Amino acid sequence: MDSIWINAPAKINIGLDVIRRRGDGYHEVKMIMQSIRLFDRLTLTKTKEPGIKLTTNLSYLPVNEDNLVYQSAKRLMDEFHLGGGLDIKLDKRIPVAAGMAGGSTDAASCMLAINDLYGLGLSKRHLMKRGVKLGADIPYCILKGTALSEGIGEKLSTIPAILIAKPNIHVSTKWVYTNLVLDEHTNHPDIDGMLASMKKRDLLSLSNQIGNVLESVTIPAYPQIAAIKECILQNGALGSLMSGSGPTVFGIFDDEDKAKKAFEDMKASGLARQIYLTRPFNQKIKSTRKNQRKR
């Protein structure tokens, strides 16, 4: 096999809590993540000329060592002394800097593709151990599906439709974590309660509990995010939340017709630049270890 392609799914955070900032600068987080049917696509082709050549459809993305795809490919090629070179084409569809793990899922998918292309025989767990050295979200993006970062994963109740809306703003994840205040007044989301709702397959209860502690930083700085949430909720979403550090917002719907109307109303509102109507993307669920972030 000389060439392979792979879809790299985006993720949303059904719940995101930051427990504390550690002395070494890392944040301990507890979050429920869900893969969705919004993909980037990578095509990898072996070449006789040594080295890695990365190209993308977005001119402003780096195509060198500053790109996680390049880093993930180099890590495996160097470790296993893979001969020849590799041509990687990245077709980017997931919004950039959107809190949807776009860069992490591309790197994870690149590692999965190289594992197959060269017949390395690495398990997902082995790939996850290598991926975490490049980024905290990469192990989950290798795993995919629904997972709690502390090591418990449960299958999510069936969700017919998810609306994704990203405004024309960019949010620095480092800035959000730097400005996050954790004290006795912090409103922490009930991650355990969400898991209980997932186990019961109670979508309404889950949607009523979703929460993201990072909204306390991002929304005051970017009120447009709150306006998007309100528009989604007014169109019948069971729940709406900012994903990751933002600015992307998603809404959970139990009715496809409502979701389609929300999609059209969101387009007409002008609040968001990128809008998608999608569904969950599930694979076999396993657990992941506690996720730690350095911002």
Side-chain angles (χ1 to χ4, degrees):
M1 183 167 59
D2 294 322
S3 184
I4 190 172
W5 64 266
I6 185 171
N7 283 335
K11 65 86 181 170
I12 55 175
N13 295 93
I14 301 248
L16 192 159
D17 194 11
V18 180
I19 310 302
R20 66 186 180 97
R21 181 197 290 269
R22 303 189 336 176
D24 59 6
Y26 283 85
H27 284 86
E28 291 187 4
V29 301
K30 187 176 184 181
M31 53 189 176
I32 302 170
M33 297 175 285
Q34 172 67 54
S35 303
I36 62 172
R37 293 185 180 277
L38 173 61
F39 305 96
D40 290 342
R41 175 170 288 194
L42 289 90
T43 303
L44 288 72
T45 304
K46 294 179 182 178
T47 61
K48 293 182 179 180
E49 184 179 349
I52 299 168
K53 179 183 178 183
L54 173 63
T55 57
T56 176
N57 60 316
L58 299 181
S59 60
Y60 54 84
L61 289 181
V63 291
N64 53 21
E65 293 86 351
D66 294 328
N67 191 301
L68 280 175
V69 171
Y70 191 105
Q71 293 176 36
S72 64
K74 189 174 189 304
R75 177 173 291 273
L76 290 182
M77 294 189 76
D78 288 350
E79 178 181 354
F80 293 96
H81 307 289
L82 302 179
L86 190 62
D87 182 273
I88 305 174
K89 291 182 173 61
L90 171 60
D91 186 14
K92 194 78 180 154
R93 293 292 178 264
I94 300 170
V96 177
M100 301 180 74
S104 294
T105 192
D106 292 341
S109 296
C110 183
M111 296 180 78
L112 288 165
I114 289 176
N115 189 44
D116 286 346
L117 185 62
Y118 290 91
L120 300 182
L122 297 172
S123 68
K124 281 192 175 183
R125 186 162 298 279
H126 286 138
L127 289 172
M128 289 162 69
K129 288 180 179 179
R130 290 164 172 82
V132 74
K133 297 176 182 178
L134 297 175
D137 275 340
I138 293 178
Y140 165 73
C141 292
I142 291 171
L143 179 69
K144 303 183 183 68
T146 309
L148 173 67
S149 63
E150 284 190 322
I152 301 172
E154 294 292 340
K155 187 176 180 180
L156 189 65
S157 304
T158 300
I159 302 176
I162 297 174
L163 179 66
I164 305 294
K166 179 186 181 293
N168 190 24
I169 55 178
H170 296 283
V171 177
S172 164
T173 300
K174 181 178 181 180
W175 174 84
V176 173
Y177 274 87
T178 299
N179 287 276
L180 177 65
V181 176
L182 296 174
D183 56 25
E184 65 275 12
H185 302 296
T186 301
N187 184 21
H188 293 279
D190 184 6
I191 301 293
D192 293 331
M194 293 181 217
L195 279 176
S197 296
M198 292 165 65
K199 290 177 181 179
K200 296 176 183 176
R201 300 178 181 265
D202 188 340
L203 181 59
L204 180 59
S205 176
L206 172 64
S207 300
N208 287 333
Q209 296 179 85
I210 59 176
N212 181 347
V213 74
L214 300 183
E215 286 190 342
S216 64
V217 179
T218 311
I219 289 182
Y222 301 97
Q224 190 174 354
I225 296 172
I228 292 174
K229 289 183 63 177
E230 182 61 25
C231 180
I232 291 174
L233 290 170
Q234 287 181 352
N235 276 279
L238 297 181
S240 182
L241 195 70
M242 182 183 79
S243 184
S245 55
T248 299
V249 175
F250 68 89
I252 298 174
F253 290 83
D254 62 354
D255 184 288
E256 286 200 56
D257 289 335
K258 290 181 181 178
K260 290 176 182 177
K261 183 179 184 301
F263 177 82
E264 295 301 329
D265 285 358
M266 183 60 66
K267 285 199 300 183
S269 73
L271 290 170
R273 182 178 182 182
Q274 293 171 278
I275 309 167
Y276 304 92
L277 190 57
T278 183
R279 293 178 174 84
F281 177 79
N282 286 295
Q283 291 191 347
K284 184 178 179 181
I285 306 305
K286 298 179 181 178
S287 61
T288 57
R289 294 187 296 178
K290 179 179 283 189
N291 212 348
Q292 296 176 345
R293 302 294 181 87
K294 191 171 186 178
R295 305 299 186 198

